[in-house]
Amino acid sequence: MAGGKTATAALGSGPADPAIRFSPDTPPASVAQAGGLPLRSHGSGTNPFGFEWLPASQEVVGHPRSAMDLASSSPSSITQTSVDHLPPVFTIGGISVKLGGFVELSNIARDSNMTAGPATAWGSFPYANNPNHGLSEERISAQLSRMSVLMEANPRKDIRLQAYIETDFGGAAGTSNSVQISGYTPRMRQGYFTFTQKDWGFHLLMGQAWSLVTNYSKGLLPRQEQLPAVTDNNQIPGIAFTRVPQIRIGKDWHEKYWLGLSIEDPQGTVDASTFSKSCSPNGSSFSGTNVPAGYGQSGTSCAYYQNSGGVLLNSGTHYTDNPAPDIVLKAAADTSFGHYEVFGLGRWFRSLSVMPGESTTRKHTHFGGGVGAGLTTPLGTKKLQLAGNILAGEGVGRYGPSLLPDTTLNSRGQLTPVPEIIGSLGLIGHPSKSVLLYTYGGVETAGRKSYMGNDGHQYGYGVSDLNLSGCSIEFGSCNAQTHTLASLTAGGWWHFMEGHYGSMMAGLQYTYIRKFAFKGNDGFGNSVSPTTFGNTVYVTFRYFPFQ
């Protein structure tokens, strides 16, 4: 640790501070057996479970980099839990166990009431018709307190196995509330295992992790993602990411050039706001979405594309009928002048529809996806870095934190991908070892995907014949569809305390968001372009007991 002595642990290569290891000079009674000896034999008769506390005394052999190092453009101590840089706490058999995490308290202030916790739904800032517009919101939360466990084993010199679990309290069960007891529930942020064969440069990941679409700061390895060091748990508009179940294989050439292929399982998002009616073919009890006929067509279609969650899924959420997982292929290069990457994304969307004059469903599958790129590079000095990412395609809205729709319906009840662009650019500065400053600009924009109905009205996404006159009148009717979200974020972190007791950091962040809707009319033939804005301020404190 900075400013104090560091030691090399008996297991692993991270820095060790004797004062924060669970390894007192005298082992606790629970780990001492007959004769007063600690349990230390792996699988021997005296210790059948192979449990071993770390030895209490270790020689100081150097000064490894602190786990709280802020010199990176995406410090893992802020964006993840930096558990890789910590010493193991104990071993079980041949597996070393590291513990990481922090306790956080955040104060969030927004100038429009969104009734949201420490994750801002960027696309939901209300228009002036909503009484919550301009009604300030202030909320204190400890939900983002985070815990992590990293278990590592080296069966051979060239093989490493890792299992990683990361959780916070961002879950909100039906009993959660902030009235008397804020009983917010633990949720799985990440949970995966990895296999690495160093001589082959082979990497395998299976479990829930950050998508391969996410920008990386080095290589394509987990816990090396180029995540902005922001305080909001929903990142910022323009950052492409998901955290989803996946299977990923990768190959590196001398840890300089990288290739990764990931099979991932995110849900799709559908905008059916212009299709306000439901339908039940043949008077059945299964209700679908009524789709008006297109120009020159006759009759209406009835579309089905999602279902409520079943066993072990959230029954209060709808899940799209995905026919196949997403596929991401990414190539990256680490050079002396930065990290660069390009990737391609493929997605599939499926719906069922009952066509006009028919009584049974037809299955429809449409392809979507896009291409993207990212970079992380120093700007002439190690104290200033540039990070950026972009993703463009059709049906990629789910990968942006504003959650623009992936798809809408066409005149035959088929899901059709919406064109979108997601991008951000950030500057990260390091005026001192204990201070990190950042500023980001981000944008997410959607194109039109609509059709002219036989009744003379437009349907789909980005339609231009909606009456939006009520968007600027309190309690007026406003069904505007989002065209673009643009944001500007500035903030920083101060690592103000460190010692044998751990570390403390404070963060301050401001975000300005502007939301633009597709043009409509005022009912008298005049063009209307609804827009709204939002301001968010975060003040955050974190205590890192292991760092």
Side-chain angles (χ1 to χ4, degrees), residues 292-299 451-457 459:
Y295 185 76
Q297 299 172 348
S298 61
Y451 71 91
M452 178 64 71
N454 202 26
D455 57 4
H457 294 289
Y459 296 93

Side-chain angles (χ1 to χ4, degrees), residues 301-519:
S301 302
C302 192
Y304 300 86
Y305 52 85
Q306 61 187 17
N307 290 283
S308 298
V311 177
L312 293 184
L313 294 178
N314 187 346
S315 60
T317 297
H318 289 100
Y319 294 80
T320 50
D321 301 328
N322 294 350
D326 295 359
I327 296 180
V328 185
L329 179 64
K330 175 177 280 191
D334 293 307
T335 71
S336 59
F337 47 89
H339 170 91
Y340 302 89
E341 56 186 49
V342 294
F343 66 90
L345 165 67
R347 308 192 69 189
W348 289 265
F349 307 99
R350 185 171 63 189
S351 64
L352 298 172
S353 68
V354 179
M355 308 296 285
E358 299 182 4
S359 58
T360 58
T361 60
R362 292 188 184 184
K363 185 186 302 181
H364 310 284
T365 301
H366 279 199
F367 177 78
V371 295
L375 65 86
T376 304
T377 182
L379 293 178
T381 171
K382 293 182 179 180
K383 291 191 174 184
L384 185 62
Q385 293 139 337
L386 176 71
N389 68 275
I390 187 169
L391 170 60
E394 293 192 339
V396 299
R398 171 62 182 88
Y399 284 86
S402 301
L403 289 182
L404 294 175
D406 292 322
T407 60
T408 188
L409 294 166
N410 65 14
S411 61
R412 293 299 185 182
Q414 303 167 354
L415 292 180
T416 178
V418 175
E420 284 134 346
I421 298 177
I422 302 168
S424 72
L425 196 64
L427 287 174
I428 304 95
H430 313 272
S432 71
K433 292 183 178 180
S434 61
V435 175
L436 179 144
L437 301 176
Y438 58 84
T439 181
Y440 278 88
V443 64
E444 297 179 40
T445 184
R448 299 181 186 274
K449 186 68 71 167
S450 60
Y451 71 91
M452 178 64 71
N454 202 26
D455 57 4
H457 294 289
Q458 297 178 32
Y459 296 93
Y461 197 73
V463 302
S464 58
D465 62 350
L466 296 175
N467 187 337
L468 304 179
S469 59
C471 293
S472 58
I473 303 172
E474 191 170 23
F475 300 115
S477 176
C478 181
N479 55 348
Q481 297 174 316
T482 301
H483 180 20
T484 300
L485 290 108
S487 70
L488 178 64
T489 297
W493 290 90
W494 176 30
H495 179 200
F496 63 89
M497 192 176 294
E498 184 177 60
H500 291 175
Y501 41 78
S503 297
M504 292 195 69
M505 296 182 68
L508 176 65
Q509 176 179 306
Y510 165 76
T511 297
Y512 173 79
I513 181 91
R514 191 85 183 186
K515 182 168 71 171
F516 303 89
F518 284 99
K519 291 183 178 181

Side-chain angles (χ1 to χ4, degrees), residues 104-335:
E104 175 179 301
L105 182 68
S106 290
N107 186 46
I108 309 106
R110 304 182 181 98
D111 63 352
S112 284
N113 182 18
M114 305 180 72
T115 318
T120 304
W122 303 111
S124 299
F125 272 94
Y127 292 99
N129 71 307
N130 191 322
N132 285 320
H133 176 77
L135 180 65
S136 62
E137 173 187 27
E138 186 274 336
R139 199 170 300 276
I140 297 177
S141 176
Q143 285 180 262
L144 299 186
S145 298
R146 194 179 304 175
M147 299 176 292
S148 66
V149 179
L150 177 62
M151 293 161 279
E152 296 179 304
N154 295 94
R156 291 197 334 227
K157 183 178 180 181
D158 58 340
I159 292 179
R160 167 165 286 189
L161 300 175
Q162 293 185 324
Y164 182 70
I165 299 289
E166 181 182 287
T167 182
D168 63 14
F169 298 87
T175 56
S176 299
N177 64 78
S178 297
V179 178
Q180 189 174 51
I181 300 174
S182 296
Y184 294 95
T185 55
R187 64 170 184 170
M188 181 172 69
R189 286 176 58 88
Q190 299 189 78
Y192 57 82
F193 72 87
T194 62
F195 169 87
T196 300
Q197 219 292 350
K198 186 176 181 180
D199 292 346
W200 301 344
F202 176 78
H203 308 273
L204 171 69
L205 180 150
M206 301 181 73
Q208 178 164 306
W210 293 91
S211 167
L212 190 59
V213 164
T214 311
N215 203 12
Y216 282 74
S217 58
K218 182 179 181 181
L220 296 178
L221 297 180
R223 302 186 300 282
Q224 294 289 335
E225 293 85 2
Q226 176 59 52
L227 302 170
V230 296
T231 55
D232 196 296
N233 199 49
N234 199 27
Q235 306 294 316
I236 52 176
I239 300 295
F241 78 96
T242 59
R243 282 196 312 270
V244 291
Q246 60 190 271
I247 301 172
R248 183 192 305 181
I249 58 173
K251 174 73 171 73
D252 76 76
W253 289 267
H254 309 292
E255 297 186 354
K256 184 176 181 181
Y257 302 104
W258 304 75
L259 186 65
L261 175 66
S262 186
I263 300 173
E264 307 181 356
D265 195 30
Q267 287 298 300
T269 55
V270 182
D271 184 278
S273 58
T274 57
F275 306 92
S276 57
K277 296 180 181 180
S278 60
C279 53
S280 299
N282 303 323
S284 73
S285 60
F286 299 97
S287 179
T289 299
N290 186 77
V291 181
Y295 185 76
Q297 299 172 348
S298 61
T300 61
S301 302
C302 192
Y304 300 86
Y305 52 85
Q306 61 187 17
N307 290 283
S308 298
V311 177
L312 293 184
L313 294 178
N314 187 346
S315 60
T317 297
H318 289 100
Y319 294 80
T320 50
D321 301 328
N322 294 350
D326 295 359
I327 296 180
V328 185
L329 179 64
K330 175 177 280 191
D334 293 307
T335 71

